């Protein structure tokens, strides 16, 4: 799983440093628990949902990751990294790939998005 990304560094600068510390140390379950507590206190902080979704991805909980990523995106979080994480989860679950196209449309150039696109094409046969 990717270590801290640009989006994650935005969260680190916020008031959930403990969750970020756990994440950087690879303690994804603890990071998720910190995010849950912070979401209860501040449910409008959209980054928390994406951050928690990324932690779920790192734990291999792709369906759960989609739940949190979708919530952040639906609430208005418009960072291409959210679509990258969603694309990774969708590719793993062999679901439709609208997140890949959206990430590319938003200008994401991370090589991982193209890996997802290739895997999606392989999944189609």
């Amino acid at each position: 799983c990717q270590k801290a990304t640009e989006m994650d560094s935005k969260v680190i600068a916020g008031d959930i440093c403990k969750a970020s510390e756990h994440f950087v140390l690879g303690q994804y379950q603890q990071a998720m628990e910190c995010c849950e507590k912070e979401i209860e206190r501040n449910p409008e902080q959209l980054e928390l949902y994406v951050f928690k979704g990324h932690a779920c991805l790192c734990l291999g909980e792709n369906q759960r990751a989609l739940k949190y990523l979708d919530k952040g995106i639906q609430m208005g979080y418009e960072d291409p990294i959210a679509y990258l994480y969603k694309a990774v989860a969708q590719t793993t679950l062999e679901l439709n790939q609208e997140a890949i196209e959206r990430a590319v449309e938003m200008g994401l150039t991370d090589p991982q998005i193209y890996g997802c696109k290739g895997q999606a094409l392989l999944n189609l046969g």
Side-chain angles (χ1 to χ4, degrees):
C1 189
Q2 287 182 330
K3 291 296 180 191
T5 63
E6 183 180 325
M7 188 282 301
D8 298 328
S9 66
K10 289 179 191 172
V11 176
I12 290 169
D15 54 354
I16 60 163
C17 291
K18 190 171 183 177
S20 299
E21 289 171 14
H22 285 301
F23 190 89
V24 170
L25 293 171
Q27 300 168 341
Y28 306 119
Q29 186 63 44
Q30 293 91 332
M32 285 177 33
E33 291 167 8
C34 290
C35 283
E36 286 173 15
K37 290 177 187 173
E38 189 59 31
I39 287 170
E40 287 176 18
R41 284 187 286 238
N42 191 2
E44 299 303 314
Q45 190 172 349
L46 306 180
E47 296 89 359
L48 289 168
Y49 299 98
V50 178
F51 191 74
K52 186 172 180 179
H54 189 192
C56 290
L57 276 179
C58 293
L59 289 169
E61 298 179 14
N62 296 297
Q63 196 66 49
R64 191 172 179 199
L66 283 176
K67 172 185 168 185
Y68 291 104
L69 294 167
D70 282 340
K71 179 149 183 150
I73 291 167
Q74 288 169 359
M75 291 174 68
Y77 192 80
E78 280 294 316
D79 187 313
I81 202 73
Y83 290 93
L84 170 61
Y85 298 154
K86 184 174 178 176
V88 170
Q90 287 178 326
T91 300
T92 304
L93 294 169
E94 297 187 15
L95 298 174
N96 70 45
Q97 299 299 308
E98 93 276 348
I100 294 172
E101 299 307 321
R102 181 69 180 128
V104 172
E105 286 172 13
M106 294 176 80
L108 185 68
T109 58
D110 188 304
Q112 193 173 5
I113 198 69
Y114 296 104
C116 288
K117 191 168 190 166
Q119 185 61 48
L121 292 171
L122 285 173
N123 291 346
L124 291 173

